[in-house]
Amino acid sequence: SFGLWGITLLMGLLSVFFVCLFFSSAFAVDRGNFKTCDQSAFCKRQRAFKPGQSPYRALLETLELSDSRLTLQLINDNNKVHLLLELYRLQGNMTRVKINELKPLKPRFEVPDVLIAEPPTDLSVLSKDDNGVVLSLGAESQRLIVSARPFRLDIMEGPEVLLSLNSRGLLAFEHLRLRKDTNKEEDGLWEETFKSHTDTKPNGPTSISLDFSLPGVEHVYGIPEHADDLKLKTTDGGDPYRLYNLDVFQYELYNPMALYGSIPLMLAHNTQRTMGIFWLNAAETWVDISSNTAGKTVFGKMLDFVQGSSEKPQTDVRWISESGIIDVFIMLGPKPSDVFSQYASLTGTQSFPPLASLGYHQCRWNYNDQEDVKSVDQGFDQHDIPYDFIWLDIEHADGKRYFTWDPHKFSQPKEMLQGLMDKKRKMVAIVDPHIKVDSGYKIHNEITSKDFYVKNKDGGNYEGWCWPGNSGYPDFTNPEMRAWWASMFAYDQYEGSMENLFTWNDMNEPSVFNGPEVTMHKDALHGKWEHRDIHNMYGLYVQMATAEGQIQRSGGAERPFVLTRAFFAGSQRFGAVWTGDNAAEWDHLKISIPMCLSLGLVGVSFCGADVGGFFKNPSTELLVRWYQTGAYQPFFRAHAHLDTTRREPWLFGPENTALIREAVRQRYALLPYWYQLFFQAYRTGMPVMRPLWVDYPKDTATFTIDDEFLIGSDLLVHPVTEEGSRGVTAYLPGAGEVWYDVHTFQKHNGAQNLYIPVTLSSIPVFQRGGSIIPRKDRVRRSSACMENDPYTLYVALSPKKFAEGKLYIDDGHSFNYDTKKEFIHRSLTFANNALTSSNLCPDCNFLTSSWIEKVLILGASKPSKVVLKMNGKETPVDFEFDSSMSVLTLRKPGMNAGDDWTLLLQ
Amino acid sequence: MTCLHLLLTLVFAVSLGTPVEIQRPRGVPLTKKQFYEEGKPFTCLDGSRTIPFDRVNDDYCDCKDGSDEPGTAACPNGSFHCTNAGYRPMFIPSSRINDGICDCCDTTDEYNSGAKCENTCKELGRKEREVLQKMAEITKEGFLLKQQLIEEAKKGREEKQGKVTDMQENKKQLEEKVEALRTVKEAAEQPEKEAKERHLKAWEEQKAAIRLEKDKAKMAEAFLELDDNSDGFVSVSELQSHAELDPDADGTLTETEVQGLMGGAAQVDTSTFESVWTNIKDKYHSEVSRKEADMSRLMTFEVVLGNFGSTLSWLCVVQAPPTVKTPEKSHEDEEAMPPYDPDTQALIEGWLCCQSYSSIRLNIEKELSFDFGPDAEFTYMYSQCYELSTSEYIYRLCPFNRALWGREKNRPENNKYLVMKYEHGTGCWQGPNRSTTVKLTCGKETVVTSTSEPSRCEYLMEFTTPAVCQEPANTEPSPHGHEEL
């Protein structure tokens, strides 16, 4: 959470080294600390290859076909090295392409623990000749064509090429070799130095590369984490997008530099189809993107069209990784939701979070002591602002020894936790993966005695500097280590912990202050694998083990909540992610939207940015705007650097306290909707916070929008992210659709750019006509306090007087929804002047005391009578009609939220 | 939906001990009882609409101002009144009704949540009375002490004023004395100055020699470190790993730049390294010092948490406890200068003695100019320091200066002598200068009771003193309001 500023602060009179390294008073990343492609030997080597000279040829005579798997050898005509190509067709319209050396000198790393399933299905050969093979991909006349010379793969649907591999001939597979067999001592093959760090490369060159062509595609997305726009840019003339989990101090915006996490999934979208390319590789990876239409103006494109000279737009992508094998999953969609479920079937869906974790989180580096925690907790009550979690950063532990408490500042952790529990609130304490090397520290001693530390190249325990000083790094890739780590969260092991204490994993890239690029040496060893091979997965494993620990401590009964900074494909299964150490600047507020949208597209729905900005002090206006934005983003947590002035919501005068209170209250009122969306995300992989194009895939006007977003399909949010703004222009999508301002209920037509005048209190949010959103308008001091409260249904009618929505209810914290089907899932439909609640899960059972206190129907006409039909009885319902806004309010119909009922407007 | 009790019977005791029953809807304070008349249509208190009485407290919000639901959580802006007999009545937001958390000590806010609340009003009332009583005792005794302080201050002030008058009377005499001393001094000054200079020069030469020697040792050490492959030469690549040497500070140390530092040579041996060393020694960081930087090492240090004016620098100080190991002197430190020879020392002392005459007067005048409170009751703190030892630090508060007292934001017209502001302390790294707010409360003793750092580099101290004790009121304090009676 901190970047490296803190060190010098914390240590006061620390060595000149750090002062020198981080003494840049200008607020910006020190780019010199991080590699460019040119400074990364394999990237430079790979990028030097030019298209159109592929030395690879498919040896068709080696083709073998089983039911679901086709294998074929490739040969590199330059060096006669044989590769093995494996093709699988996977259920749900996916193709897997694996390329490895036929006979590697020793095994090459293949990523474990990311895929939850890889269900293969039938493959069949349609035809074969000397030039190639045609395979059937099952439905929809989809074929896979293997061309022999040069080797390439084309995926076709009817006459159209959807996607091609190695069409530009950039497949390059550096085979394992002995040093003595290397022809020339090319730079960086067997050793590489960056700054003062030398990477010994005992395995020599091992990198891999492959290109993909996407005809008809002009928009590609995904491959987070980068502080950049939603739509990926072409990388010609600059560096490729880099995927290498790094602790970047004071990161810069709008560039392709690597950040804390990596998810090697790219989505390609046009009006006809959405596809995905999932490059399953955990080593340092670079992604080049080029486009034949990039740089062309709209006018230029139109001219091409008119002149008929237009070449088809095409995007070309090239992936380069330092080690491992080529293992690619091609997802063919065709709808955006299909790609999400295809990817989810491989790597899993978002974990279903405890309801409370969707509330507001109050964090700061650091809440000083128990008294401080208590007074902040009381401050929220005094100012009537809800919150669910208060967080403790690294200073809470005894000398940064995680799993312990500072004996003076936090001498009675259980007393503190009980105090929070009495108010139905919770706490998160940080547990980072670096472990202080200290023979008086239980965790260190046990890891040492069990030999669980990552090893350096010479076989000793790897040590590096982090917050506690000299630290060891547990080898989280080792399942035994993870099991042991998980056991440390047991209540009798983690002293002072209680069931309302949850965990935050920071610095898990891993961050090593004195390591190359502030991370671990690539020649460090995790068992038989080099850190080089697994780097981007380290953080995933840390969160996996921590979440497992939280599950185990409750005997498998309770859902975990773990926040992580580093992540990889599959991390969505273990909790929430935040965008790391941002800054209190307007641009950082803006970038929080595309950063979380990009994560949502690749499976990680539970995303947020530090509200207020981590570094520096926000102006009051920025802070208020950030609360208003954060209230409508999935993970809603305020956080601040140690050096910033205090910024609890009530410190900026009563007017601003009121504005922040209102934003947080809007969040809490909408918790039933958020919760239902997370249930849906957990079930289907649909992102919670999404770009507009996901729901309007044919509307090209939505393709680059990243200053507004959808929550589910039904709420459109255009937060105010400009200083001194007097108005925003929101694009309301959907020709023939309508949107209702959620504050005024004013109706607006879809497919228009709507100018909305704003004041400091405005949060432009619209509900889609055709939707029903359940809210709990009785906002209380925490989500748990609202458990039994009644619902108000907001029914927003479409122009055809139709609307539908869902309601999901369970206990909010346990796994009983899964293990015992203890939940309520209802479909709410308004059609033919009747609003009906029907059961979506008849074999589920859960009892709620929540009821329906009010129904608002937006876009309604005045009925003469309203009747509630329930259990065969009809009872009249009072109503009011506001003709100026066409809002019909049904007063206290009173049915239980789990019941079957119909409200008839007559 | 939920069957609600519209009326709540309240039983409580007035001071005479006669039980009285008053009926009113749940959550309504006595002052508003007249607006809620059973059986008659209810008009929202903002006058916005009128509803049948059975919609009061029916768990549905009809009034925009929330006034129809004083006893339920239905209105987002409503408030609930609890009587808290035995303690003090209060209003809570409606959202705290039946949320499972006991807010009212009389348990009336949790009538339908299943929360097991206990009536703690009596206990709270008792405790509050005890606290108030204790406070009253302290105030009483403190106020007596304060009177003494005022008396002492008055005496002290008169004494000092007398001293100043004396001094003024003896002004001429004093001036003559000073003049005489000055003559002596001037006569002595020449040899004193020369002696001093001689001494200094010798010392400078000695220092330079020591420095040169140290530099050489450092250079040799650096050479060994730089020579990674121990071939007896420092090469361009070996030097290049030291990014801190970057001459143009652009973040990269290029080969050309290194060659520049090495004077164009591809490698240097120990003898030729000397010229390279001159180029790099200011920036060079030893590997050893990098490794030795043990991040957990604490050092003894003294940080000024804030000053009143710009003249005094020692007012509010935090110091690491003496138990912490003092680090070895940095090798940049020179040895302490040897003392002056006895003759020079005598001359200097003579001059200092001469100066003290005028400084005494200045000090007294300065002291007399301070604001020691309306009755000079803070005088006794002058030139005193008060310490508080915590597990980590010793805090020392040395009150006073002519700079004035603060005022708490929310208590404008109140006693300004309850807050002291100390500002412009030692700067924080890349942050503001430290500042400290001292809150004064009435106490028999003068002690710092607590310190905290609510925000980075902004400290808060709690300080008790009899000087702020108010004259006790004649009547006994009453713990609860009398709204209900």
Side-chain angles (χ1 to χ4, degrees):
Chain A
S1 65
F2 337 92
L4 300 172
W5 255 63
I7 318 162
T8 13
L9 292 162
L10 283 172
M11 307 316 158
L13 301 166
L14 192 64
S15 86
V16 206
F17 168 64
F18 281 113
V19 179
C20 167
L21 195 57
F22 307 118
F23 195 81
S24 56
S25 51
F27 184 87
V29 65
D30 184 353
R31 282 176 181 245
N33 285 336
F34 302 102
K35 288 184 186 177
T36 60
C37 177
D38 253 8
Q39 291 168 316
S40 189
F42 77 92
C43 186
K44 185 178 181 183
R45 226 160 42 228
Q46 289 279 7
R47 231 186 175 194
F49 284 116
K50 294 300 166 218
Q53 299 159 11
S54 181
Y56 289 97
R57 185 158 54 87
L59 303 173
L60 296 179
E61 63 278 13
T62 63
L63 185 147
E64 283 176 36
L65 181 71
S66 67
D67 289 348
S68 59
R69 172 174 181 260
L70 177 146
T71 60
L72 186 62
Q73 288 179 28
L74 309 179
I75 185 168
N76 179 338
D77 278 329
N78 289 344
N79 59 17
K80 305 300 174 202
V81 173
H82 285 243
L83 302 179
L84 182 70
L85 167 76
E86 294 173 77
L87 293 173
Y88 300 85
R89 188 163 79 86
L90 304 183
Q91 279 168 21
N93 215 3
M94 285 183 283
T95 303
R96 181 180 194 176
V97 180
K98 268 174 101 163
I99 302 174
N100 196 352
E101 291 179 52
L102 181 66
K103 286 177 183 159
L105 273 180
K106 57 182 185 178
R108 297 180 63 118
F109 184 71
E110 299 188 33
V111 174
D113 300 311
V114 166
L115 300 178
I116 55 163
E118 37 195 311
T121 183
D122 289 355
L123 256 183
S124 57
V125 174
L126 292 176
S127 65
K128 182 183 168 191
D129 62 20
D130 289 349
N131 298 320
V133 188
V134 180
L135 300 165
S136 165
L137 289 179
E140 297 176 45
S141 65
Q142 283 174 351
R143 286 154 296 139
L144 174 63
I145 298 163
V146 184
S147 306
R149 185 191 293 262
F151 162 71
R152 69 180 266 171
L153 297 172
D154 292 275
I155 295 178
M156 315 233 354
E157 183 176 273
E160 300 231 17
V161 178
L162 301 179
L163 178 142
S164 311
L165 284 71
N166 201 33
S167 50
R168 288 190 296 152
L170 294 169
L171 167 62
F173 204 110
E174 292 180 332
H175 62 283
L176 294 171
R177 64 201 79 182
L178 296 174
R179 189 163 189 164
K180 64 178 173 58
D181 297 337
T182 316
N183 299 335
K184 48 178 180 164
E185 278 289 307
E186 205 182 309
D187 239 17
L189 284 185
W190 294 90
E191 186 178 284
E192 179 174 355
T193 299
F194 178 67
K195 304 199 89 175
S196 59
H197 301 284
T198 298
D199 175 14
T200 65
K201 299 180 171 181
N203 296 321
T206 56
S207 74
I208 52 170
S209 164
L210 182 59
D211 66 275
F212 301 80
S213 293
L214 296 153
V217 169
E218 288 181 274
H219 294 85
V220 285
Y221 308 94
I223 55 167
E225 178 174 10
H226 301 100
D228 209 346
D229 295 330
L230 174 66
K231 176 191 185 297
L232 297 173
K233 294 166 183 154
T234 57
T235 57
D236 306 318
D239 253 11
Y241 283 96
R242 188 180 189 203
L243 294 174
Y244 192 57
N245 296 358
L246 291 176
D247 178 3
V248 182
F249 174 64
Q250 296 185 338
Y251 60 78
E252 256 177 54
L253 307 185
Y254 304 110
N255 72 50
M257 285 173 72
L259 285 179
Y260 313 96
S262 302
I263 299 184
L265 169 63
M266 180 185 283
L267 302 192
H269 177 73
N270 62 25
T271 53
Q272 302 305 308
R273 181 181 289 275
T274 310
M275 293 184 290
I277 300 170
F278 175 38
W279 175 267
L280 182 51
N281 189 298
E284 178 183 349
T285 296
W286 299 78
V287 186
D288 256 324
I289 298 168
S290 56
S291 156
N292 60 354
T293 53
K296 276 192 186 170
T297 59
V298 175
F299 180 74
K301 286 186 200 173
M302 213 186 300
L303 205 66
D304 281 348
F305 181 75
V306 173
Q307 293 171 342
S309 65
S310 160
E311 50 177 335
K312 198 176 183 185
Q314 177 169 315
T315 297
D316 294 310
V317 182
R318 173 203 221 165
W319 297 73
I320 303 167
S321 289
E322 187 175 12
S323 68
I325 64 163
I326 293 175
D327 192 359
V328 195
F329 297 78
I330 315 287
M331 288 155 254
L332 292 180
K335 296 198 298 291
S337 57
D338 295 327
V339 175
F340 299 135
S341 67
Q342 285 154 9
Y343 180 67
S345 75
L346 296 175
T347 65
T349 58
Q350 177 66 52
S351 64
F352 188 35
L355 173 60
S357 66
L358 299 178
Y360 171 64
H361 300 257
Q362 181 67 35
C363 187
R364 169 171 188 87
W365 177 25
N366 212 91
Y367 284 118
N368 300 327
D369 49 29
Q370 285 178 219
E371 267 311 301
D372 200 3
V373 168
K374 199 171 179 181
S375 77
V376 171
D377 178 72
Q378 283 167 351
F380 276 93
D381 286 346
Q382 271 157 24
H383 299 92
D384 201 16
I385 300 170
Y387 90 93
D388 269 84
F389 282 82
I390 186 162
W391 292 53
L392 295 181
D393 211 321
I394 50 172
E395 310 299 329
H396 86 278
D398 181 10
K400 321 290 189 301
R401 295 171 187 87
Y402 307 108
F403 299 101
T404 71
W405 305 84
D406 184 296
H408 304 291
K409 297 170 184 161
F410 295 93
S411 58
Q412 303 296 329
K414 284 195 174 179
E415 200 174 278
M416 170 177 66
L417 287 164
Q418 186 61 50
L420 292 170
M421 196 182 283
D422 290 344
K423 292 218 188 137
K424 304 194 179 185
R425 286 174 177 149
K426 300 165 189 4
M427 174 172 263
V428 169
I430 200 164
V431 175
D432 286 352
H434 50 259
I435 301 298
K436 185 177 176 73
V437 173
D438 168 10
S439 58
Y441 179 27
K442 178 185 91 170
I443 299 284
H444 167 71
N445 289 341
E446 289 207 29
I447 295 174
T448 308
S449 70
K450 293 176 193 298
D451 202 20
F452 280 157
Y453 276 126
V454 174
K455 299 284 181 285
N456 62 33
K457 65 179 166 49
D458 303 316
N461 284 344
Y462 180 89
E463 288 182 1
W465 285 347
C466 212
W467 299 122
N470 200 28
S471 305
Y473 292 76
D475 184 2
F476 282 89
T477 67
N478 176 354
E480 285 169 40
M481 153 61 208
R482 293 200 300 275
W484 173 83
W485 179 267
S487 74
M488 287 299 101
F489 288 87
Y491 296 119
D492 58 348
Q493 291 291 331
Y494 190 166
E495 278 172 43
S497 68
M498 283 174 54
E499 63 261 45
N500 64 338
L501 179 69
F502 296 82
T503 311
W504 169 18
N505 293 147
D506 195 3
M507 316 297 279
N508 52 344
E509 294 75 24
S511 178
V512 181
F513 291 162
N514 58 341
E517 301 190 86
V518 202
T519 192
M520 192 172 275
H521 291 75
K522 284 175 171 173
D523 50 14
L525 294 167
H526 302 255
K528 63 175 176 173
W529 301 112
E530 281 190 291
H531 185 68
R532 185 186 331 278
D533 299 311
I534 67 96
H535 175 83
N536 284 346
M537 298 183 73
Y538 187 84
L540 172 142
Y541 277 130
V542 174
Q543 194 190 18
M544 176 193 271
T546 304
E548 184 56 34
Q550 277 187 14
I551 294 171
Q552 280 178 18
R553 71 176 182 178
S554 68
E558 297 292 316
R559 285 176 239 168
F561 172 72
V562 182
L563 178 74
T564 182
R565 189 170 72 180
F567 51 83
F568 188 64
S571 285
Q572 69 270 18
R573 307 200 297 270
F574 309 111
V577 160
W578 95 109
T579 61
D581 299 347
N582 61 359
E585 293 174 353
W586 287 91
D587 275 351
H588 275 266
L589 168 58
K590 283 186 200 118
I591 206 83
S592 72
I593 301 174
M595 286 180 82
C596 279
L597 285 175
S598 294
L599 275 162
L601 287 175
V602 299
V604 180
S605 269
F606 208 179
C607 167
D610 284 347
V611 169
F614 177 67
F615 291 112
K616 303 174 69 176
N617 293 307
S619 68
T620 304
E621 184 190 358
L622 175 58
L623 185 69
V624 167
R625 290 302 189 199
W626 213 317
Y627 268 97
Q628 293 173 339
T629 305
Y632 285 91
Q633 290 177 349
F635 177 57
F636 182 25
R637 182 187 73 152
H639 187 32
H641 189 279
L642 185 68
D643 278 336
T644 59
T645 47
R646 292 291 282 243
R647 53 168 98 139
E648 284 68 43
W650 50 87
L651 297 176
F652 303 88
E655 308 82 21
N656 296 301
T657 306
L659 292 170
I660 293 172
R661 178 192 299 124
E662 173 56 24
V664 179
R665 288 174 74 111
Q666 288 184 25
R667 168 60 165 234
Y668 275 77
L670 279 168
L671 281 178
Y673 182 60
W674 282 104
Y675 197 45
Q676 187 266 119
L677 289 173
F678 268 92
F679 182 67
Q680 189 191 11
Y682 157 73
R683 282 208 158 173
T684 67
M686 277 302 283
V688 170
M689 172 179 170
R690 352 174 148 143
L692 271 61
W693 64 259
V694 168
D695 281 79
Y696 299 87
K698 292 188 188 302
D699 184 351
T700 53
T702 64
F703 290 3
T704 57
I705 291 178
D706 61 7
D707 57 354
E708 66 181 58
F709 54 89
L710 291 168
I711 301 168
S713 298
D714 302 338
L715 281 184
L716 182 146
V717 187
H718 189 114
V720 182
T721 57
E722 296 278 348
E723 185 170 17
S725 180
R726 311 280 294 272
V728 297
T729 300
Y731 179 71
L732 301 181
E737 295 191 29
V738 292
W739 294 85
Y740 297 86
D741 183 314
V742 299
H743 310 296
T744 64
F745 304 136
Q746 196 180 344
K747 187 161 76 176
H748 302 281
N749 288 324
Q752 66 153 327
N753 282 302
L754 179 70
Y755 179 77
I756 307 146
V758 298
T759 64
L760 204 49
S761 67
S762 308
I763 317 177
V765 181
F766 300 88
Q767 184 177 345
R768 188 176 60 83
S771 67
I772 300 176
I773 294 181
R775 288 199 219 168
K776 281 190 174 178
D777 283 336
R778 303 183 180 189
V779 173
R780 305 200 191 234
R781 63 186 134 195
S782 71
S783 65
C785 291
M786 297 161 65
E787 183 185 357
N788 299 318
D789 279 342
Y791 291 90
T792 296
L793 303 180
Y794 287 77
V795 181
L797 297 185
S798 71
K800 289 179 178 161
K801 305 291 175 198
F802 175 83
E804 62 184 340
K806 289 191 176 77
L807 176 61
Y808 175 84
I809 308 173
D810 66 14
D811 66 15
H813 57 86
S814 79
F815 280 113
N816 291 349
Y817 73 94
D818 186 37
T819 53
K820 299 181 186 163
K821 288 203 146 196
E822 287 182 2
F823 62 89
I824 292 167
H825 200 202
R826 303 201 68 84
S827 157
L828 304 166
T829 311
F830 186 97
N832 305 319
N833 275 325
L835 176 62
T836 305
S837 170
S838 53
N839 199 347
L840 285 171
C841 184
D843 58 338
C844 287
N845 71 87
F846 184 74
L847 292 178
T848 178
S849 44
S850 294
W851 47 289
I852 311 294
E853 69 169 326
K854 199 195 279 194
V855 178
L856 268 81
I857 304 175
L858 317 181
S861 33
K862 188 179 182 179
S864 55
K865 193 174 147 195
V866 178
V867 171
L868 171 65
K869 277 177 71 173
M870 213 175 134
N871 301 328
K873 275 189 244 167
E874 294 198 1
T875 42
V877 173
D878 281 337
F879 65 88
E880 276 175 44
F881 185 70
D882 172 359
S883 54
S884 67
M885 285 293 167
S886 302
V887 177
L888 177 67
T889 305
L890 310 187
R891 187 189 189 280
K892 209 181 174 190
M895 50 284 191
N896 185 284
D899 281 345
D900 288 330
W901 48 262
T902 297
L903 282 163
L904 289 170
L905 314 188
Q906 293 167 337
Chain B
M1 182 65 209
T2 323
C3 173
L4 293 172
H5 303 279
L6 285 178
L7 296 172
L8 174 67
T9 305
L10 296 166
V11 182
F12 58 92
V14 292
S15 50
L16 297 172
T18 322
V20 182
E21 285 185 17
I22 296 175
Q23 289 192 320
R24 55 191 143 128
R26 192 195 295 275
V28 175
L30 205 59
T31 50
K32 288 185 178 157
K33 178 188 171 279
Q34 71 271 22
F35 302 117
Y36 297 84
E37 228 176 308
E38 168 96 69
K40 291 196 179 165
F42 172 76
T43 301
C44 306
L45 297 186
D46 62 0
S48 57
R49 66 189 293 190
T50 299
I51 54 173
F53 193 78
D54 62 8
R55 291 194 173 180
V56 172
N57 275 344
D58 71 338
D59 208 14
Y60 184 90
C61 192
D62 292 286
C63 295
K64 279 202 175 116
D65 67 352
S67 57
D68 63 315
E69 298 293 318
T72 78
C75 293
N77 52 348
S79 63
F80 176 86
H81 182 265
C82 29
T83 312
N84 291 345
Y87 188 51
R88 57 173 85 172
M90 67 174 183
F91 286 95
I92 58 167
S94 295
S95 63
R96 294 180 197 169
I97 300 170
N98 290 329
D99 65 350
I101 299 163
C102 310
D103 291 285
C104 298
C105 65
D106 65 4
T107 77
T108 51
D109 60 318
E110 296 299 315
Y111 57 85
N112 195 23
S113 69
K116 290 187 185 96
C117 301
E118 274 172 41
N119 190 323
T120 56
C121 291
K122 271 189 185 157
E123 180 64 15
L124 285 172
R126 193 180 58 76
K127 273 190 189 153
E128 191 183 50
R129 278 190 298 278
E130 272 176 21
V131 168
L132 285 173
Q133 207 172 344
K134 218 174 186 178
M135 289 267 292
E137 275 164 30
I138 290 173
T139 308
K140 208 168 146 190
E141 285 179 53
F143 188 70
L144 285 176
L145 288 169
K146 181 179 173 180
Q147 299 310 311
Q148 288 175 22
L149 291 175
I150 292 172
E151 204 46 47
E152 279 165 24
K154 212 170 146 191
K155 267 189 213 156
R157 200 179 174 83
E158 278 161 7
E159 238 167 64
K160 278 170 190 156
Q161 258 160 355
K163 239 187 204 172
V164 172
T165 322
D166 282 355
M167 277 181 164
Q168 269 163 351
E169 277 170 11
N170 295 334
K171 190 179 174 188
K172 209 179 158 195
Q173 202 181 328
L174 269 166
E175 270 170 3
E176 276 165 17
K177 231 181 203 173
V178 169
E179 195 47 45
L181 273 161
R182 180 169 294 149
T183 319
V184 174
K185 182 198 144 258
E186 272 169 7
E189 201 165 60
Q190 200 49 37
E192 180 244 342
K193 206 176 156 195
E194 281 167 15
K196 233 178 178 176
E197 272 170 10
R198 253 196 325 274
H199 181 86
L200 275 173
K201 201 177 163 217
W203 170 236
E204 283 302 327
E205 279 164 10
Q206 196 186 334
K207 266 201 310 194
I210 293 173
R211 227 182 267 142
L212 193 69
E213 216 164 280
K214 279 189 176 167
D215 188 51
K216 271 194 175 158
K218 244 165 136 183
M219 181 178 82
E221 210 176 282
F223 185 87
L224 286 175
E225 269 175 24
L226 280 169
D227 182 14
D228 281 340
N229 53 2
S230 309
D231 62 351
F233 292 98
V234 169
S235 67
V236 171
S237 67
E238 279 165 347
L239 202 56
Q240 208 174 352
S241 68
H242 279 256
E244 75 271 14
L245 302 177
D246 186 16
D248 58 3
D250 65 349
T252 47
L253 182 59
T254 65
E255 218 170 288
T256 333
E257 283 170 344
V258 175
Q259 276 164 355
L261 292 171
M262 296 182 61
Q267 57 180 33
V268 290
D269 61 13
T270 37
S271 58
T272 41
F273 183 63
E274 204 172 322
S275 62
V276 180
W277 178 243
T278 321
N279 288 337
I280 65 170
K281 65 180 175 190
D282 291 339
K283 289 183 176 174
Y284 178 76
H285 296 147
S286 153
E287 310 272 353
V288 179
S289 72
R290 292 186 197 186
K291 281 171 197 153
E292 273 180 357
D294 177 352
M295 309 171 96
S296 57
R297 184 170 58 189
L298 257 179
M299 302 188 176
T300 303
F301 59 94
E302 192 168 278
V303 175
V304 179
L305 299 187
N307 294 312
F308 256 149
S310 53
T311 47
L312 296 184
S313 61
W314 45 270
L315 274 175
C316 184
V317 166
V318 59
Q319 189 179 32
T323 50
V324 174
K325 188 183 122 199
T326 311
E328 284 169 48
K329 274 196 183 157
S330 131
H331 37 73
E332 296 296 336
D333 277 6
E334 274 95 30
E335 309 295 316
M337 186 171 73
Y340 293 109
D341 64 78
D343 285 352
T344 314
Q345 194 65 30
L347 282 168
I348 293 170
E349 273 165 24
W351 171 233
L352 287 176
C353 172
C354 170
Q355 280 190 317
S356 70
Y357 280 87
S358 34
S359 71
I360 290 174
R361 211 185 89 191
L362 270 175
N363 277 344
I364 295 177
E365 278 176 351
K366 194 169 147 202
E367 187 184 337
L368 290 175
S369 73
F370 290 157
D371 178 0
F372 287 128
D375 299 310
E377 63 268 39
F378 295 98
T379 312
Y380 78 103
M381 293 179 191
Y382 182 73
S383 74
Q384 296 289 316
C385 291
Y386 302 93
E387 282 193 354
L388 178 72
S389 298
T390 67
S391 57
E392 279 177 291
Y393 303 109
I394 296 166
Y395 293 85
R396 198 159 70 236
L397 174 67
C398 307
F400 271 106
N401 198 332
R402 68 190 136 66
L404 289 182
W405 300 78
R407 227 182 252 275
E408 268 192 280
K409 262 189 199 159
N410 300 329
R411 292 197 234 160
E413 92 297 355
N414 229 335
N415 193 344
K416 70 169 180 177
Y417 296 98
L418 294 177
V419 177
M420 286 180 182
K421 289 288 281 182
Y422 294 82
E423 277 160 352
H424 312 293
T426 310
C428 274
W429 193 79
Q430 293 222 346
N433 283 345
R434 288 174 173 79
S435 64
T436 302
T437 302
V438 179
K439 285 194 177 171
L440 289 82
T441 50
C442 167
K444 285 187 275 185
E445 285 165 7
T446 308
V447 274
V448 178
T449 54
S450 76
T451 62
S452 56
E453 188 181 358
S455 199
R456 189 78 175 154
C457 306
E458 290 172 19
Y459 301 84
L460 178 71
M461 285 191 183
E462 310 261 356
F463 186 49
T464 64
T465 164
V468 297
C469 293
Q470 296 294 311
E471 188 167 9
N474 290 331
T475 49
E476 282 297 303
S478 166
H480 32 107
H482 294 274
E483 194 197 309
E484 304 296 326
L485 303 178

